[in-house]
Amino acid sequence: MQDQNQQNKLNIELSEDMAQGIYSNLAVITHSGTEFVLDFISMMPGVPKAHVKSRIVVAPENAKRLLMALQDNVAKYEAQYGPIRQNDNGNAPMNFGVPTAKA
């Protein structure tokens, strides 16, 4: 049994650059019949242009696994730190809550 556990282990490497992570404050998710596309975007206040920082393409089965893993982790987070607050309308504020400039 121990030999089987040794064979089932996966060695995952994380480079220094990847370990830094990429900040994203917006995600756009699209799908076709065969894949889900997750675009992670960085938006800055007052700048009308945003950049896709990372695109992840997954099979539908893996998208569902990701959904379940996120649900599990959010539940654990909220059990430890309390509920995560959301905007009333469920949409990301496009201006980051900063008043629009008026001349």
Side-chain angles (χ1 to χ4, degrees), residues 12-49:
I12 299 174
E13 294 184 13
L14 183 63
S15 70
E16 281 189 45
D17 289 343
M18 190 62 66
Q20 295 296 316
I22 296 173
Y23 179 76
S24 171
N25 52 9
L26 177 67
V28 175
I29 303 171
T30 55
H31 66 275
S32 69
T34 58
E35 60 198 15
F36 279 73
V37 178
L38 296 86
D39 287 328
F40 294 94
I41 298 160
S42 177
M43 260 182 7
M44 296 304 293
V47 178
K49 189 173 184 178

Side-chain angles (χ1 to χ4, degrees), residues 28-92:
V28 175
I29 303 171
T30 55
H31 66 275
S32 69
T34 58
E35 60 198 15
F36 279 73
V37 178
L38 296 86
D39 287 328
F40 294 94
I41 298 160
S42 177
M43 260 182 7
M44 296 304 293
V47 178
K49 189 173 184 178
H51 297 279
V52 173
K53 295 297 187 173
S54 182
R55 171 173 277 187
I56 308 296
V57 182
V58 297
E61 297 84 2
N62 290 331
K64 191 154 191 177
R65 285 185 187 105
L66 175 62
L67 171 65
M68 293 183 329
L70 281 171
Q71 287 175 328
D72 180 54
N73 276 270
V74 167
K76 289 175 182 174
Y77 175 95
E78 289 183 326
Q80 183 171 356
Y81 301 107
I84 298 171
R85 295 184 305 136
Q86 291 185 284
N87 293 338
D88 291 338
N89 63 8
N91 295 324

